[in-house]
Amino acid sequence: MTVRQSSSPSDRLLGGVSGAPDVDTELSDPSVLQAMLDAEAALARAAADVGILPPPAAEAIVGQCRADRYDPGALGRAADAAGNPVVALVGELTAAVPEHARGWVHFGATSQDILDTALVLVSVRALEPLLRHLDAAVDAAARLADTHRDTVLVARTLGQQAAPTTFGLKAAGWLTGLVEARDRLRQARAAQPAQLGGAVGTLAAFGPAGTVVVERFAAHLGLPSSPLPWHTRRQPWLDLAAALGGLLVSTGKVALDVGLLAQNDIGEVAEGGTGRGGSSAMPHKRNPVDSILVTAAARRGPGLVATVFGAAVQEHERAAGAWHAEWEPLLDLLHVAGGAAARCARMLVGLQVHPARMRENLDATGGLVLAEAVAARLAPVVGRGVAHDLVTRAATGPSFRAALLADPTIRAHLSEAAIDEALDPYRWLGSAGRFVDTALATARGPDR
């Protein structure tokens, strides 16, 4: 058997259950390497733009900035000597260009400039397919909210049946969380800046042209420029990590709800798709696989976000260790967030909803979930406290409706018709429908 060593997270033995192939392609070693080379090429172009670097040298450097000409594995092994892979890459790139260009490779930059900018590029590129998955999840949640705007089911609070709500409102909650996560991710993506500061953040090698070089460098990469180097001011990473963490929370919320609603004894929804969810031991099982894997991704998020935030307090002009601690958690966040977005979309697109089972579960307690509605009808005439106590006493019997009809104090104030109206779940939905409409209008607004 031939063993192939993969550099894409989704192709690893366990990576396939946590990532998404199109996102992970942008996180692979060749993609990170190409992003580093893109930064080196942009640096050469920017210096040539302002007349510092000879155009022929810039062209020669750019011509060698192709990842397929270098070995990521060899560069990774060589990185141990300097603590980062840029030093080894600069050596390889210098050896690859003609003699007249060698003195201009990596001119004026430091390793952190190249690696930070490369990780920005990788993040921006990976977020493109990730956001497509998130768009699909948003669209699917919107369809569920619209279709089931008035489909009643029992709400559950603190793990117990509580009062009627609608499946449309539950889906609208999912929708709003996903839209909010998408907005924050878009903002974080648009604000990721190029990094260029040189050895200590002064760009001394470029003389008075340093700020112009920064602007040209960023422009060549299609990134915003930063007003000054952010070597130890890590807000861009914090914004990105927080947005990715928020995405994992919003998709995790959907997944957790779906997993609970899909339990055999609840049975109000089921994941779609054939050939998924099987068990190695129990032939009858159909596990909610996407719910499980999205929930797993959400559990990983807090630790990764915490590492990025914990590394953000950095000393002086360049950090010793804190900068290095950021790289892999950021890539891991993108990896698990990509997988969560893709699986959440698939889960919602294929979700099977069972309104009849929802109504059956709502009716299972014989109207007890409408106890609040009955008390609300009594409160204006007997007071809230007395109404609460009367309904509580009736709720202990074998039949809630029968107990209400048998209580003389309750019957003195509520007719049988009034009791039956109070026990109608459609009359105790409050603003549920309006909330759904608001969520849909927001998701489909003119700026979306």
Side-chain angles (χ1 to χ4, degrees), residues 167-441:
F167 185 67
L169 183 56
K170 185 180 287 288
W174 299 343
L175 170 64
T176 300
L178 293 170
V179 168
E180 290 171 345
R182 183 177 65 180
D183 288 347
R184 284 162 176 76
L185 265 179
R186 286 174 173 173
Q187 293 165 5
R189 179 175 183 255
Q192 291 300 303
Q195 172 79 280
L196 185 60
V200 297
T202 63
L203 286 179
F206 295 116
T211 56
V212 181
V213 173
V214 170
E215 292 173 359
R216 297 302 305 150
F217 176 67
H220 282 297
L221 294 166
L223 299 172
S225 62
S226 178
L228 68 160
W230 46 284
H231 287 153
T232 53
R233 180 181 53 83
R234 309 306 280 171
Q235 194 63 45
W237 284 158
L238 299 183
D239 293 342
L240 178 58
L244 290 167
L247 166 64
L248 288 166
V249 169
S250 65
T251 55
K253 160 63 176 171
V254 178
L256 184 59
D257 281 354
V258 167
L260 292 171
L261 294 174
Q263 289 178 327
N264 295 111
D265 48 349
I266 303 296
E268 295 176 355
V269 303
E271 288 189 10
T274 57
R276 295 179 56 77
S279 165
S280 65
M282 293 169 281
H284 71 284
K285 290 199 72 180
R286 185 182 173 195
N287 298 313
V289 178
D290 284 328
S291 166
I292 291 166
L293 296 181
V294 175
T295 300
R299 304 298 189 200
R300 291 176 64 180
L304 295 169
V305 173
T307 299
V308 176
F309 272 71
V313 179
Q314 300 186 1
E315 67 277 18
H316 298 308
E317 283 66 50
R318 300 278 302 287
W323 170 54
H324 307 70
E326 298 169 335
W327 312 335
E328 289 175 298
L330 275 169
L331 294 175
D332 286 347
L333 267 172
L334 288 161
H335 166 69
V336 296
R343 289 182 176 84
C344 185
R346 181 171 63 191
M347 178 174 63
L348 290 176
V349 167
L351 194 67
Q352 300 170 3
V353 181
H354 304 305
R357 180 63 174 169
M358 291 176 178
R359 184 58 193 259
E360 182 182 344
N361 288 338
L362 189 151
D363 292 339
T365 60
L368 280 177
V369 294
L370 275 304
E372 182 189 23
V374 177
R377 293 200 172 215
L378 282 171
V381 290
V382 300
R384 290 182 61 191
V386 173
H388 184 276
D389 291 344
L390 287 169
V391 174
T392 298
R393 184 173 64 198
T396 60
S399 170
F400 184 49
R401 182 179 182 276
L404 293 172
L405 292 173
D407 190 297
T409 305
I410 293 175
R411 287 305 309 278
H413 302 288
L414 294 180
S415 67
E416 183 175 354
I419 290 173
D420 286 339
E421 286 183 359
L423 295 178
D424 180 356
Y426 287 98
R427 294 176 179 269
W428 198 247
L429 295 176
S431 299
R434 291 182 179 270
F435 285 143
V436 173
D437 295 341
T438 299
L440 289 170

